[in-house]
């Protein structure tokens, strides 16, 4: 609740005016039964047509004024609700961006998407309804009871008896359903996760003919969510019949008491009709309040889920010092007894890693699947923090360097080529915001992408579909490499980012990077021994440990793991060639 009030603080005027105009509308509505009573007692009883017309005209004026007040209140409440939700969404997105990979892995992207969309929409809807109805409905309920006292005190006691019973029903159901709505939203998280996994991995699912298994999995989760929603719906559904029952019993009591008093001459027929109208107004408002309570319960449950994301603090604290300039004397990258254990993992992914890399050197990282290659290079731009040891950039611990400055020095191309919907230019400018066309062309040329980009209609204005679906795997990889190169990083990390390229293009790419004027320090993670043969140093990993370190020639003589990888690839190639 405090979180919602925080984001509503900029809309204080709207938060005051919306309920104020709603209360004005309610005041005019409360006068209507009195006008109807007057029409019956004075107009119809005395057959005074002129008086009836005047009172009807008065009712029309009250209706028009009420409509204007209602529209004005709707405008202010919508402005406050949408503004609050917009700022909340921006703030949540910014907070998510500040989280480290560790927190992102723990929370899960499906959960975060639900928080950003469905949960915030529920909060927006709740705020809108609260500003319009939260004061109006109780005001009508208690206002109708007060007006009833002005008509007849004995008859008004029926209202006094009914309203506490109705309050117990409404708030009892509200308290009972709130945790259940939170459970429904969690079930929605699971459905979203399954859907996302299926859409992302549709090719794999079809390749292994697992459509029926995935359909069954989705159906099971969907039925669980459906069952929970039905259960909470049944509890919420009790509100209307219970409130209807209480109000109708009250109406029966009111008509019974009113009929006796009319016969005895204490009340007029118009006054009984007015009391009946006030009870009907209470019924209508309680139905609105019941729906409001359900929506408030959903909104509060969703707000609590959003707050849990805000409560997650990044385990990666920003450094305070700036990044030093690279020097030929000081290692550009140095690992000192570095180990990394992912959160929740039993064993370390890399263990006791030690090496130094100097300016302009090319370092190859090779090893079997799951040997820790990506984990190792992820420590350089500080996607994860080492659990033991130190990672130094230009002699400074990466934990002490401001993250923004550190990542300005490092350009990384990850295993999965990720491109965003938009032009090639826009994708390239993610690497460097103000990159010119000539700088982009230079990066494309180094990345061996210029040739196919020149053939695209509009060149840099060519629109890429989401995820680069209208490009081949090799084209996507070359564009992601160009995006990293456009900012001319001091340290360039290619994490198995040329796996879709043929050997000739891969060799041309490495040669172009080697001849770059800025002479960056390059880390190449690859499964191909051919891609690393000419590196200044090759690090061989096996089960998270360094089992070899040196040049290609040295490792062939001293490292069994490297020799096995090399011979398996080159002997296979020779066998195919001879066949």
């Amino acid at each position: 609740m405090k979180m919602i009030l925080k984001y509503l603080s900029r809309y204080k005027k709207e938060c005051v005016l919306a309920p104020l105009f709603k209360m004005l509308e309610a005041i005019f509505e409360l006068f209507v039964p009195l006008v109807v009573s007057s029409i019956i007692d004075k107009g119809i009883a005395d057959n005074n047509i002129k008086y009836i017309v005047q009172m009807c005209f008065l009712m029309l004026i009250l209706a028009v004024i009420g409509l204007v007040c209602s529209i004005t209140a709707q405008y202010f409440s919508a402005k406050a609700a949408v503004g609050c939700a917009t700022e909340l969404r921006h703030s949540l997105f910014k907070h998510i961006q500040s989280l480290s990979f560790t927190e992102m892995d723990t929370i899960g992207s499906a959960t975060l998407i639900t928080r950003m969309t469905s949960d915030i929409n529920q909060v927006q809807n709740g705020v809108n309804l609260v500003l319009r109805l939260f004061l109006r409905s109780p005001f009508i309920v208690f206002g109708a009871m007060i007006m009833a006292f002005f008509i007849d005190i004995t008859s008004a006691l029926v209202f006094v008896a009914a309203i506490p019973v109705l309050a117990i029903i409404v708030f009892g159901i509200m308290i009972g359903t709130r945790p259940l709505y939170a459970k429904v939203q969690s079930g929605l998280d699971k459905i979203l996760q399954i859907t996302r996994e299926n859409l992302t991995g549709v090719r794999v699912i079809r390749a292994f003919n697992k459509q029926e298994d995935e359909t069954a999995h989705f159906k099971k989760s969907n039925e669980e969510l459906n069952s929970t929603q039905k259960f909470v719906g049944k509890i919420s559904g009790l509100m209307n019949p219970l409130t209807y029952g209480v109000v109708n019993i009250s109406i029966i009591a009111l008509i019974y008491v009113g009929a006796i008093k009319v016969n005895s001459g204490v009340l007029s027929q118009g006054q009984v009709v007015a009391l009946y109208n006030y009870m009907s107004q209470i019924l209508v408002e309680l139905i609105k309040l019941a729906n409001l309570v359900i929506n408030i319960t959903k909104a509060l449950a969703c707000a609590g889920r959003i707050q849990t994301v805000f409560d997650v603090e990044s385990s990666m604290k920003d450094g305070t010092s700036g990044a030093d300039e690279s020097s030929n004397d000081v290692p550009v990258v140095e690992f000192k007894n570095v180990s990394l254990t992912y959160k929740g993992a039993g064993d370390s992914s890399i263990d006791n890693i030690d090496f130094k890399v100097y300016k302009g050197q090319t370092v190859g990282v090779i090893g079997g699947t799951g040997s820790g290659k990506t984990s190792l290079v992820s420590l350089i731009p500080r996607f994860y923090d080492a659990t033991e040891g130190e990672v130094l950039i230009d002699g400074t611990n990466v934990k002490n360097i401001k993250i923004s400055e550190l990542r300005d020095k490092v350009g990384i191309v990850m295993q999965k080529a990720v491109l965003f919907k938009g032009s090639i230019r826009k994708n390239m400018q993610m690497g460097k915001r103000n990159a010119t066309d000539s700088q982009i062309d230079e990066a494309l040329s180094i990345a061996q992408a210029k040739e196919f980009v020149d053939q695209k209609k509009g060149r840099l204005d060519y629109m890429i579909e989401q995820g680069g679906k209208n490009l081949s795997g090799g084209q996507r990889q070359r564009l992601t490499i160009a995006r990293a190169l456009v900012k001319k990083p001091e340290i360039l990390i290619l994490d198995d980012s040329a796996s879709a390229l043929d050997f000739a293009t891969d060799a041309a790419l490495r040669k172009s990077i080697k001849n770059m004027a800025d002479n960056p320090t390059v880390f190449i993670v690859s499964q191909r021994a051919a891609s690393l043969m000419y590196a200044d140093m090759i690090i061989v990993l096996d089960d998270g440990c360094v089992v070899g370190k040196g040049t290609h020639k040295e490792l062939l003589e001293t490292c069994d793991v490297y020799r096995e990888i090399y011979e398996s690839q080159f002997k296979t190639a020779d066998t195919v060639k001879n066949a």
Side-chain angles (χ1 to χ4, degrees):
M1 190 66 185
K2 289 181 180 178
M3 176 192 68
I4 298 173
L5 293 175
K6 174 185 172 184
Y7 292 99
L8 276 174
S9 60
R10 284 188 58 187
Y11 300 92
K12 292 177 182 176
K13 180 181 73 175
E14 287 79 3
C15 291
V16 172
L17 291 176
L20 179 63
F21 276 98
K22 269 294 175 182
M23 288 177 71
L24 285 173
E25 179 200 357
I27 290 171
F28 291 116
E29 193 172 322
L30 287 171
F31 284 129
V32 171
L34 294 178
V35 176
V36 173
S37 175
S38 181
I39 290 172
I40 294 170
D41 291 339
K42 294 181 181 179
I44 296 174
D46 298 337
N47 198 24
N48 189 342
I49 303 299
K50 182 180 178 182
Y51 185 80
I52 294 173
V53 172
Q54 287 175 347
M55 290 297 104
C56 287
F57 184 70
L58 177 60
M59 286 178 65
L60 181 62
I61 292 172
L62 291 174
V64 170
I65 295 172
L67 178 63
V68 171
C69 291
S70 177
I71 292 171
T72 307
Q74 177 63 58
Y75 168 76
F76 286 120
S77 62
K79 184 177 178 182
V82 173
C84 169
T86 301
E87 292 195 14
L88 177 58
R89 193 175 284 109
H90 285 166
S91 183
L92 182 60
F93 187 80
K94 185 178 180 181
H95 178 72
I96 291 170
Q97 290 293 324
S98 71
L99 299 178
S100 70
F101 279 23
T102 300
E103 283 73 46
M104 298 288 282
D105 294 341
T106 304
I107 300 171
S109 56
T111 299
L112 294 176
I113 290 170
T114 308
R115 301 290 197 277
M116 286 283 297
T117 53
S118 175
D119 286 349
I120 290 181
N121 287 341
Q122 290 283 6
V123 170
Q124 177 182 319
N125 191 36
V127 169
N128 193 350
L129 289 172
V130 164
L131 291 177
R132 289 193 294 118
L133 298 176
F134 194 67
L135 289 180
R136 182 190 189 279
S137 293
F139 184 83
I140 288 281
V141 171
F142 289 104
M145 183 179 71
I146 293 167
M147 296 300 284
F149 271 102
F150 279 110
I151 295 171
D152 182 62
I153 295 175
T154 307
S155 301
L157 293 176
V158 176
F159 290 77
V160 175
I163 289 172
V165 176
L166 292 168
I168 291 170
I169 293 170
V170 169
F171 290 102
I173 290 176
M174 178 180 175
I175 293 167
T177 54
R178 182 176 176 179
L180 293 173
Y181 279 116
K183 189 177 179 181
V184 167
Q185 290 298 116
S186 298
L188 191 62
D189 282 348
K190 188 176 180 182
I191 291 292
L192 182 62
Q193 182 180 1
I194 294 169
T195 305
R196 188 170 179 273
E197 287 175 351
N198 273 266
L199 292 174
T200 305
V202 63
R203 296 174 188 271
V204 178
I205 292 167
R206 290 180 179 177
F208 289 94
N209 198 25
K210 292 291 182 181
Q211 296 95 314
E212 291 185 5
D213 292 345
E214 289 301 318
T215 301
H217 184 206
F218 179 83
K219 186 177 180 181
K220 181 183 176 183
S221 300
N222 203 28
E223 285 176 352
E224 289 174 359
L225 176 62
N226 190 27
S227 176
T228 307
Q229 286 178 318
K230 282 182 179 178
F231 180 68
V232 70
K234 287 175 183 177
I235 297 174
S236 298
L238 288 172
M239 192 172 293
N240 279 356
L242 288 176
T243 51
Y244 264 107
V246 172
V247 170
N248 281 302
I249 290 170
S250 302
I251 287 173
I252 292 169
L254 187 64
I255 292 173
Y256 176 77
V257 173
I260 294 172
K261 292 204 170 191
V262 168
N263 284 335
S264 61
V266 177
L267 288 177
S268 67
Q269 292 175 341
Q271 288 175 320
V272 173
V273 171
L275 288 169
Y276 174 82
N277 284 339
Y278 282 129
M279 187 59 77
S280 298
Q281 283 184 346
I282 289 175
L283 175 61
V284 171
E285 291 306 319
L286 283 171
I287 293 168
K288 291 181 183 177
L289 189 61
N291 292 324
L292 172 64
V293 166
I294 292 170
N295 280 285
I296 289 175
T297 305
K298 288 181 181 179
L300 290 175
C302 292
R305 283 159 48 83
I306 295 167
Q307 186 61 52
T308 58
V309 178
F310 279 117
D311 290 340
V312 176
E313 294 184 5
S314 177
S315 58
M316 191 175 291
K317 303 302 179 185
D318 201 359
T320 55
S321 64
D324 296 329
E325 293 294 326
S326 298
S327 167
N328 291 327
D329 301 325
V330 178
V332 174
V333 178
E334 182 177 0
F335 276 53
K336 289 184 176 180
N337 303 317
V338 172
S339 297
L340 171 65
T341 304
Y342 290 108
K343 187 175 181 179
D347 298 322
S348 57
S349 295
I350 55 173
D351 191 40
N352 200 29
I353 305 291
D354 238 329
F355 65 84
K356 295 179 182 180
V357 181
Y358 289 88
K359 183 174 174 61
Q361 285 189 322
T362 298
V363 179
V365 183
I366 196 169
T369 302
S371 58
K373 303 185 295 297
T374 297
S375 298
L376 185 147
V377 294
S378 293
L379 296 174
I380 299 171
R382 208 183 167 202
F383 291 154
Y384 296 93
D385 275 336
T387 46
E388 293 180 26
E390 290 182 312
V391 179
L392 307 178
I393 301 291
D394 297 325
T396 305
N397 193 320
V398 291
K399 294 181 180 179
N400 298 327
I401 303 173
K402 291 180 181 177
I403 292 175
S404 58
E405 294 195 24
L406 172 64
R407 292 182 184 161
D408 278 341
K409 291 174 71 76
V410 180
I412 183 165
V413 186
M414 299 187 180
Q415 284 178 314
K416 184 179 179 182
V418 177
L419 294 170
F420 297 92
K421 186 174 182 178
S423 65
I424 292 176
R425 181 185 290 104
K426 186 177 179 182
N427 272 273
M428 294 300 103
Q429 287 175 338
M430 288 196 70
K432 184 178 180 182
R433 182 177 297 176
N434 57 350
T436 63
D437 286 1
S438 60
Q439 290 173 328
I440 294 172
D441 281 336
E442 182 185 354
L444 290 171
S445 181
I446 295 170
Q448 310 302 303
K450 193 172 185 302
E451 182 181 351
F452 82 81
V453 169
D454 287 341
Q455 295 173 358
K456 298 292 184 184
K457 186 178 180 180
R459 289 193 72 254
L460 298 181
D461 293 319
Y462 178 76
M463 295 301 293
I464 298 173
E465 295 298 324
Q466 184 179 357
K469 292 177 182 177
N470 54 339
L471 300 173
S472 68
Q475 289 173 341
R476 287 198 295 268
Q477 285 191 337
R478 281 178 279 174
L479 285 179
T480 54
I481 293 169
R483 183 173 60 196
L485 291 170
V486 78
K487 71 174 184 178
K488 299 186 183 300
E490 295 178 27
I491 302 168
L492 177 64
I493 301 170
L494 304 177
D495 184 6
D496 204 14
S497 55
S499 57
L501 304 184
D502 58 77
F503 284 95
T505 306
D506 185 16
L509 170 66
R510 285 183 280 107
K511 183 178 179 180
S512 296
I513 293 173
K514 189 73 175 175
N515 294 331
M516 284 177 66
D518 300 309
N519 196 23
T521 303
V522 183
F523 285 80
I524 302 175
V525 177
S526 181
Q527 300 280 8
R528 296 175 178 175
S531 299
L532 310 177
M533 287 172 59
Y534 302 103
D536 299 303
M537 178 173 68
I538 301 172
I539 299 170
V540 186
L541 294 177
D542 185 36
D543 198 21
C545 298
V546 175
V547 293
K549 187 166 57 178
T551 63
H552 168 70
K553 186 176 180 180
E554 291 169 347
L555 290 171
L556 282 177
E557 297 175 359
T558 60
C559 181
D560 293 336
V561 174
Y562 182 78
R563 189 186 311 112
E564 183 181 342
I565 293 170
Y566 175 80
E567 289 179 352
S568 66
Q569 293 176 5
F570 279 81
K571 283 185 178 180
T572 301
D574 291 341
T575 303
V576 171
K577 187 177 179 181
N578 293 332

